[in-house]
Amino acid sequence: MTTAIKGSTVAAMRDVVRVPNYIGGEFVAPASGRYIDNICPSTGEWMGEIPDSDDRDVDAAVQAAEKAFPAWSRTLASERSRLLLKIADLIEQNFEMLAYFESLDSGKPISLAKRLDIPRAMANFRFFATAILHQASEAYMTDAAALNYTLRRPLGVAGLISPWNLPLYLLTWKIAPAIAVGNTCVAKPSELTPITAKMLSKIVADAGLPPGVVNIVHGAGPKAGAALAAHPNVPVISFTGGTATGAKVAAAAAPRFKKISLELGGKNPNVIFADADVEQAIPTSIQSSFANQGEICLCGSRIFVERSIYKQFVERFVEATKRLRVGDPLEESTDVGALISEAHLKKVLGYIDLARSEGGTIVTGGHRIDRSGYFVEPTVITGLTCDCRVLQEEIFGPVVTITPFDSEEEAISFTNSTRYGLSASVWTRDLQRAHRVAAAIDSGTVWINCWLLRDLRVPFGGMKESGVGREGGVDSLRFFTEEKNVCVKL
Ligand code: TXE
């Protein structure tokens, strides 16, 4: 499949890439009849179009989801599980095609789509399909006077808003738990990366999921996304995206007291103590800085290195950065692909200029690559302090700063010096220090001597302005259900 698609040109795909909405089991055009262009990040060319949906489309999707809810919420867990496993199998059967289009649509290296995105999409469905078969509920005895037990029921129609950096990975991270526990849903994928969401709607239909359980409405965030966040019949919203957008979603949800989970931006630290295993720390830090062009909320964009090994670390890190192959995302050998859009390219280049004006040294990289599409050289910056904007604001590109520190206390204060608190990596062979520093860092996840090692059972989310709530494992199952205590007098 891959070879066949590779041979085709972007122009030849015009016929096939008009993405429809998926509402009530039907593929439908938007009420407005209008479409938004979908631009290929690695060429800058028009590649297709997606519905410019508005509140009418969102409302139709919510109605379809409401209609499907009574039967789906009563469907036996074993049957819901079977259908979710079928979806996972169909993702697996379409693995190559999904990886290809994920890479084409987002600019990410196809090797990453194959290693991370599509396997995780399968794993999300398998994990929650089986998790619902192993649930228990609590019971509390009030002496000999009463028995309390907890019932958990789905909330109704879940609103799921996902971003462009890990399109199918994050969309399925939300859809799978939402429907596994008996909700129906309306999902709004990013307008920048609609293609694998379109493919998922076909997969969901082919798997035999009842119409209306999953609905996918494409469109612009401020129009379709905002309509979903504010819809009166959507009691629960799961959102992943930028912090500024998260604030808008929270504001739209607040007057209706919706349950919300917000996974937002990060400015994650990567702390390297002098006793670290540098042979491991360097290649992993290269990954955490530049994987997916730095467009992962968990990327470590601020590296702090103990002063005694700082010089040697910078030299070796820069050498490794220069070896990264930046190029066509569809080439298997590419390490760093294209940024998502021209606007995002400008944002990232703007921060590199800012680093220069804040007095930083661009040790390697720092420029747009001279070719069509939105490519930026992997960039390493030194000489900036923690109060600089470049170390305070999320850049979300292949740009990393390296700063020396002199003590454990200073390392901790550097890590905690931003308004974000999503994740951190700490590199040391000193076990007690590892635990001490992990406890002191304000972030939802701390990795010790690793990065992006994800177990789907663990709580995932951010502190401070990196988000509200936790998802993953039991947290997702609880988030998408509502508890009721039943008290029986004995
Ligand atoms: O994301 P948006 P953007 C960060 C990153 C990036 C910045 C802006 O720093 O540069 O955010 O990216 C939908 N109501 N992250 O603007 O807008 C939108 O259609 C409801 C971090 O591209 O947050 C899309 O589906 N929904 C990040 C989703 O929100 C709205 C991933 C996310 O897009 C909306 C992406 C509105 N008013 C960017 N406006 C992460 N945490 O991984 C937009 N949307």
Side-chain angles (χ1 to χ4, degrees):
M1 188 66 196
T2 308
T3 326
I5 298 169
K6 262 186 177 170
S8 70
T9 61
V10 169
M13 288 169 57
R14 284 180 189 223
D15 295 337
V16 290
V17 187
R18 175 178 262 208
V19 171
N21 285 331
Y22 181 61
I23 297 177
E26 306 283 334
F27 293 94
V28 292
S32 67
R34 282 197 298 271
Y35 288 82
I36 304 171
D37 291 335
N38 184 20
I39 304 297
C40 176
S42 58
T43 63
E45 285 176 34
W46 187 92
M47 164 168 84
E49 52 191 17
I50 68 155
D52 184 7
S53 304
D54 57 30
D55 51 351
R56 290 169 290 176
D57 305 290
V58 169
D59 198 47
V62 172
Q63 282 185 36
E66 284 182 291
K67 197 168 156 212
F69 178 70
W72 180 247
S73 59
R74 284 197 300 268
T75 300
L76 295 179
S78 56
E79 174 63 5
R80 294 197 306 264
S81 175
R82 188 187 70 76
L83 287 166
L84 265 71
L85 289 172
K86 185 88 194 291
I87 294 171
D89 289 346
L90 290 176
I91 294 175
E92 189 162 20
Q93 280 168 31
N94 289 281
F95 185 93
E96 292 291 333
M97 188 177 70
L98 287 163
Y100 175 87
F101 279 106
E102 199 70 300
S103 169
L104 186 76
D105 208 15
S106 69
K108 73 173 68 229
I110 191 161
S111 58
L112 186 69
K114 288 183 182 176
R115 200 169 64 243
L116 180 72
D117 296 74
I118 311 307
R120 249 308 279 284
M122 283 176 333
N124 287 336
F125 278 105
R126 291 197 173 125
F127 178 83
F128 288 108
T130 47
I132 55 169
L133 302 177
H134 304 274
Q135 277 180 293
S137 68
E138 301 97 65
Y140 300 91
M141 297 297 297
T142 312
D143 302 317
L147 161 67
N148 292 273
Y149 61 90
T150 308
L151 291 178
R152 266 196 192 86
R153 61 177 188 193
L155 289 133
V157 181
L160 312 174
I161 303 174
S162 57
W164 42 262
N165 56 335
L166 300 165
L168 193 64
Y169 173 130
L170 287 172
L171 185 66
T172 55
W173 175 241
K174 298 179 188 304
I175 290 179
I179 67 170
V181 295
N183 299 287
T184 55
C185 71
V186 177
K188 210 301 281 172
S190 170
E191 56 272 45
L192 300 175
T193 49
I195 300 182
T196 50
K198 177 204 168 188
M199 291 173 167
L200 182 68
S201 40
K202 169 93 172 44
I203 284 174
V204 156
D206 290 349
L209 204 69
V213 173
V214 170
N215 304 275
I216 300 186
V217 177
H218 296 271
K223 209 190 270 183
L228 182 56
H231 199 288
N233 298 349
V234 176
V236 52
I237 301 282
S238 171
F239 169 85
T240 302
T243 294
T245 316
K248 289 183 193 159
V249 170
R256 302 214 177 250
F257 310 106
K258 296 182 182 212
K259 212 171 173 186
I260 54 169
S261 165
L262 304 174
E263 293 184 18
L264 309 176
K267 190 71 187 172
N268 308 309
N270 184 3
V271 184
I272 324 275
F273 285 96
D275 68 344
D277 178 352
V278 180
E279 300 310 318
Q280 294 285 324
I282 289 184
T284 307
S285 301
I286 289 284
Q287 282 297 312
S288 66
S289 305
F290 302 120
N292 207 41
Q293 305 74 244
E295 296 168 323
I296 302 181
C297 54
L298 300 167
C299 275
S301 52
R302 297 179 296 148
I303 303 181
F304 299 114
V305 184
E306 196 159 1
R307 196 177 296 276
S308 59
I309 60 161
Y310 176 76
K311 193 163 171 287
Q312 173 211 357
F313 182 92
V314 172
E315 275 168 19
R316 291 188 57 186
F317 188 84
V318 167
E319 270 169 35
T321 303
K322 287 180 176 163
R323 283 198 297 274
L324 289 170
R325 288 157 301 198
V326 186
D328 183 352
L330 294 172
E331 285 296 330
E332 291 282 351
S333 59
T334 292
D335 298 310
V336 178
L339 294 181
I340 186 67
S341 65
E342 189 170 4
H344 192 56
L345 172 91
K346 285 184 179 150
K347 171 183 160 178
V348 172
L349 292 174
Y351 273 104
I352 296 172
D353 283 343
L354 180 65
R356 292 188 182 99
S357 64
E358 286 186 316
T361 303
I362 312 293
V363 193
T364 185
H367 303 101
R368 180 177 186 173
I369 293 177
D370 186 18
R371 56 175 288 171
S372 57
Y374 314 125
F375 295 85
V376 171
E377 294 170 342
T379 300
V380 180
I381 302 167
T382 58
L384 293 179
T385 49
C386 288
D387 54 347
C388 293
R389 279 182 57 202
V390 169
L391 273 85
Q392 287 292 323
E393 298 172 18
E394 186 178 48
I395 300 174
F396 220 58
V399 179
V400 68
T401 58
I402 315 185
T403 311
F405 67 84
D406 288 303
S407 65
E408 187 178 307
E409 293 67 38
E410 190 172 56
I412 292 167
S413 91
F414 284 1
T415 62
N416 290 341
S417 66
T418 72
R419 63 194 179 105
Y420 294 109
L422 191 57
S423 71
S425 283
V426 177
W427 292 84
T428 178
R429 286 185 169 109
D430 179 337
L431 190 60
Q432 285 171 317
R433 170 190 276 157
H435 288 297
R436 212 166 44 232
V437 174
I441 291 179
D442 298 332
S443 71
T445 297
V446 179
W447 282 292
I448 306 291
N449 298 328
C450 60
W451 175 70
L452 208 62
L453 214 165
R454 290 274 295 118
D455 182 322
L456 301 192
R457 291 169 298 180
V458 306
F460 178 78
M463 293 185 183
K464 301 197 276 188
E465 292 187 31
S466 286
V468 173
R470 295 290 179 273
E471 292 187 35
V474 172
D475 291 284
S476 290
L477 300 174
R478 292 194 165 184
F479 174 70
F480 285 111
T481 51
E482 190 157 56
E483 290 144 327
K484 181 195 294 185
N485 185 66
V486 180
C487 177
V488 184
K489 186 172 180 305
L490 297 177

